[in-house]
Amino acid sequence: PEDRTNVVMAADWGNDRTIAALGNVLILTTRNLGDLHQQVASPNAGYHQILVDLPDSERRQAYIDIVAAKSGDGEPDFAFTWNMTPADVARLTTTLNLRDLKTLFLEARYAGQLTADLLNETKAKIISAEYGDLVQIVDPSMTFADIGDLDHIKQWLRRSVINPLRSGNRQRCPMGVLFTGPPGTGKTAMAEATAGEAGVIMLNIQMNKVFGRYVGDSERNMARMLQMARSAAPCILWLDEIDQGISRGEGDSGASNRVFQQLLQFMSDKNNRGRIVVMAATNRPD
């Protein structure tokens, strides 16, 4: 109740003709749109919503190249030894923002060198603080050579997923792939091997962790995961035991349905086709 005045005031600003007549621009920022009161986030409030995504590989590479150049020039703030190429740093810092990269370089300055171990350690701390146990970022160590038999599945995945991802033929990629079968048949291993064959990372979303205790938590968590996937593209978004997230039944105030609608909307976005392949598994196709 104490926020009601602020809600009404912020909603009124968006349609305030005096502000517009004076030529002023009102800019509001929020980390998560779902954190705002619906009256302020509604299109009727008059605000034009702009999503500022996490930096993609090109933006990260450009920032890293600048730091590498300054390091080579001997600037004190960047005086450390590079045991990795800037291209490798850009590839391994998927899902990090520019502030996170700055933290990484500060750690490298204190250590005197930038190594793969330091990068992975710093990245793990940042992701744990930001996302908790919602997601596991997998740099695949498996390929199809590590999986016996299942040649018909491998052939289909090469033709429909791997070759289009590697060649950039986006229209040939499916919007999603669903693995069904009992536990222990290799569904997760096949997904990781597919990512390994395609040369992309895999974002392993823990569906049972997405659903929060409070109203709106589930939708916010899923929105953050999908935003991370956009910044990590090209990638495979892996949803194990997806039935836990979309068939929870009654008692969740419709959260499972709203989360599933978020996923469907994401998969139907043509901009994601061929860049993000959603792969899921279930032991219960029914």
Side-chain angles (χ1 to χ4, degrees):
E2 61 272 14
D3 288 339
R4 184 62 190 169
T5 301
N6 293 330
V7 169
V8 173
M9 180 173 60
D12 287 346
W13 282 346
N15 292 305
D16 193 322
R17 295 183 179 180
T18 304
I19 294 177
L22 292 173
N24 294 324
V25 178
L26 178 65
I27 300 177
L28 311 180
T29 65
T30 179
R31 292 188 64 182
N32 299 300
L33 192 62
D35 291 338
L36 291 183
H37 192 282
Q38 188 175 5
Q39 189 172 339
V40 179
S42 169
N44 294 330
Y47 293 107
H48 178 69
Q49 297 173 6
I50 299 176
L51 174 64
V52 183
D53 267 329
L54 291 169
D56 58 16
S57 59
E58 292 183 3
R59 287 183 63 198
R60 292 197 310 275
Q61 184 72 66
Y63 180 78
I64 293 166
D65 287 342
I66 292 173
V67 174
K70 291 183 177 181
S71 181
D73 293 338
E75 292 198 20
D77 287 345
F78 305 100
F80 54 85
T81 303
W82 288 64
N83 293 342
M84 309 172 63
T85 66
D88 286 338
V89 176
R91 178 178 61 84
L92 294 173
T93 52
T94 299
T95 72
L96 299 188
N97 59 39
L98 301 187
R99 183 181 297 172
D100 297 333
L101 290 178
K102 184 176 181 180
T103 299
L104 170 64
F105 294 134
L106 287 174
E107 293 288 344
R109 186 186 69 178
Y110 295 141
Q113 60 181 342
L114 177 59
T115 64
D117 288 342
L118 176 65
L119 187 152
N120 290 330
E121 180 182 348
T122 305
K123 180 179 177 180
K125 290 179 181 178
I126 292 171
I127 292 175
S128 177
E130 178 68 21
Y131 299 101
D133 54 359
L134 289 175
V135 61
Q136 178 186 8
I137 300 177
V138 180
D139 193 2
S141 59
M142 298 179 61
T143 64
F144 285 165
D146 299 302
I147 297 179
D149 202 22
L150 302 177
D151 290 336
H152 60 296
I153 298 179
K154 296 175 184 177
Q155 182 179 358
W156 185 88
L157 288 169
R158 281 196 180 97
R159 182 180 66 251
S160 301
V161 178
I162 297 167
N163 291 340
L165 277 176
R166 294 182 72 92
S167 65
N169 191 352
R170 298 175 57 180
Q171 295 306 313
R172 285 189 56 194
C173 267
M175 302 303 287
V177 178
L178 179 64
F179 290 148
T180 64
T185 51
K187 299 186 292 295
T188 302
M190 185 62 77
E192 182 176 345
T194 301
E197 292 282 339
V200 299
I201 68 167
M202 182 171 77
L203 302 181
N204 187 352
I205 307 300
Q206 308 297 314
M207 288 300 294
N208 59 334
K209 304 289 186 180
V210 168
F211 289 85
R213 299 173 56 185
Y214 303 104
V215 174
D217 281 353
S218 306
E219 296 88 327
R220 281 193 290 272
N221 289 338
M222 179 55 76
R224 292 167 65 200
M225 297 300 98
L226 298 180
Q227 184 180 17
M228 174 190 271
R230 290 188 183 95
S231 73
C235 68
I236 287 177
L237 185 64
W238 176 244
L239 307 172
D240 200 4
E241 297 183 341
I242 192 173
D243 48 275
Q244 292 191 17
I246 63 175
S247 62
R248 296 169 67 87
E250 299 178 358
D252 63 357
S253 302
S256 60
N257 183 59
R258 291 191 294 272
V259 166
F260 189 46
Q261 290 303 316
Q262 283 179 285
L263 181 61
L264 290 179
Q265 185 177 4
F266 179 83
M267 292 173 63
S268 64
D269 187 343
K270 295 181 179 179
N271 293 324
N272 296 329
R273 186 164 199 156
R275 299 178 68 248
I276 305 166
V277 179
V278 179
M279 304 183 77
T282 178
N283 306 328
R284 295 285 307 275
D286 57 313

